Amino acid sequence: DTEVTQTPKHLVMGMTNKKSLKCEQHMGHRAMYWYKQKAKKPPELMFVYSYEKLSINESVPSRFSPECPNSSLLNLHLHALQPEDSALYLCASSSHRNQPQHFGDGTRLSIL
Amino acid sequence: KNEVEQSPQNLTAQEGEFITINCSYSVGISALHWLQQHPGGGIVSLFMLSSGKKKHGRLIATINIQEKHSSLHITASHPRDSAVYICAGFLWDTDKLIFGTGTRLQVFP
């Protein structure tokens, strides 16, 4: 069982929809991460939150909007996505920025 | 350039064989992570190393800082070890992980 919980596990949405991905951890970790992973490729970093503040944004298009409402929760709001945004979206957390990351099982996103 | 290179890309083995996956990395990487990803997505962090050697069950990870090289060994491999193994270097100046391309391991009974 993973200690980082991501919901939903699968999401299919149209290009005009608005949806959100959710990530939750109760390990007291203060750093949380969003990654995007295409098939047979390594994960690509999207965003990093440290102490609930956005510290890294890897030039991600504005149709992806992260939010960290508290130290346990991380959301990724999606709007007007493109078919090439179909991927596995992974959340991770670590006690601090330079510590091992714990990954969730991911949300598999398909854009129609 | 910050890089992490893994080899081999694909590896097949018979159950019980000893397996080694290699990872070389560039200057600026202060620690090396070994990760395991099963089909279906979830990633498990196996080890984080900045020096020496770590062991957990049948898994052993070593790192040679002078040569900027790390290895992941699996003893007495089992079909349930079949997965993608990824090494990732932690960049000390940006606190980011740089991922290798992964090694796809299949262990046959």
Side-chain angles (χ1 to χ4, degrees), chain A residues 22-112:
Chain A
K22 183 178 169 182
C23 175
E24 195 166 0
Q25 58 86 15
H26 295 287
M27 295 177 281
H29 289 176
R30 303 314 298 268
M32 296 186 77
Y33 311 79
W34 280 115
Y35 290 91
K36 173 183 176 181
Q37 187 179 26
K38 301 286 271 185
K40 298 191 178 183
K41 297 287 187 185
E44 301 170 27
L45 182 65
M46 299 175 73
F47 302 105
V48 180
Y49 274 82
S50 182
Y51 289 85
E52 296 100 72
K53 288 187 174 12
L54 183 65
S55 55
I56 295 178
N57 176 340
E58 290 289 276
S59 303
V60 179
S62 59
R63 57 186 185 268
F64 294 91
S65 174
E67 180 198 16
C68 189
N70 61 57
S71 60
S72 300
L73 272 177
L74 185 65
N75 298 320
L76 186 63
H77 302 297
L78 315 172
H79 178 232
L81 295 195
Q82 304 297 307
E84 62 265 25
D85 297 323
S86 298
L88 180 70
Y89 288 83
L90 290 159
C91 174
S93 72
S94 60
S95 55
H96 299 286
R97 287 268 299 270
N98 62 354
Q99 295 301 306
Q101 294 179 23
H102 297 243
F103 287 82
D105 289 336
T107 293
R108 194 163 295 281
L109 177 65
S110 298
I111 307 300
L112 301 178

Side-chain angles (χ1 to χ4, degrees), chain B residues 41-52:
Chain B
I43 290 179
V44 175
S45 179
L46 300 174
F47 298 103
M48 184 176 97
L49 289 163
S50 52
S51 65

Side-chain angles (χ1 to χ4, degrees), chain B residues 1-67:
Chain B
K1 184 183 172 186
N2 297 311
E3 280 186 336
V4 173
E5 294 185 0
Q6 265 184 261
S7 62
Q9 279 192 302
N10 294 285
L11 187 54
T12 58
Q14 287 294 125
E15 184 173 357
E17 285 185 6
F18 181 84
I19 287 161
T20 296
I21 300 170
N22 296 301
C23 181
S24 297
Y25 59 92
S26 61
V27 173
I29 286 172
S30 60
L32 225 292
H33 294 252
W34 282 102
L35 309 168
Q36 179 194 56
Q37 187 170 32
H38 278 104
I43 290 179
V44 175
S45 179
L46 300 174
F47 298 103
M48 184 176 97
L49 289 163
S50 52
S51 65
K53 175 180 174 178
K54 288 189 177 179
K55 184 176 190 291
H56 183 68
R58 294 180 294 104
L59 300 177
I60 303 166
T62 62
I63 190 166
N64 184 319
I65 297 166
Q66 285 73 33
E67 294 184 6

Side-chain angles (χ1 to χ4, degrees), chain B residues 48-94:
Chain B
M48 184 176 97
L49 289 163
S50 52
S51 65
K53 175 180 174 178
K54 288 189 177 179
K55 184 176 190 291
H56 183 68
R58 294 180 294 104
L59 300 177
I60 303 166
T62 62
I63 190 166
N64 184 319
I65 297 166
Q66 285 73 33
E67 294 184 6
K68 297 186 181 48
H69 181 269
S70 177
S71 293
L72 177 68
H73 306 286
I74 305 176
T75 62
S77 60
H78 191 275
R80 65 174 174 265
D81 297 325
S82 299
V84 176
Y85 292 84
I86 304 169
C87 73
F90 186 80
L91 288 173
W92 67 269
D93 57 348
T94 60

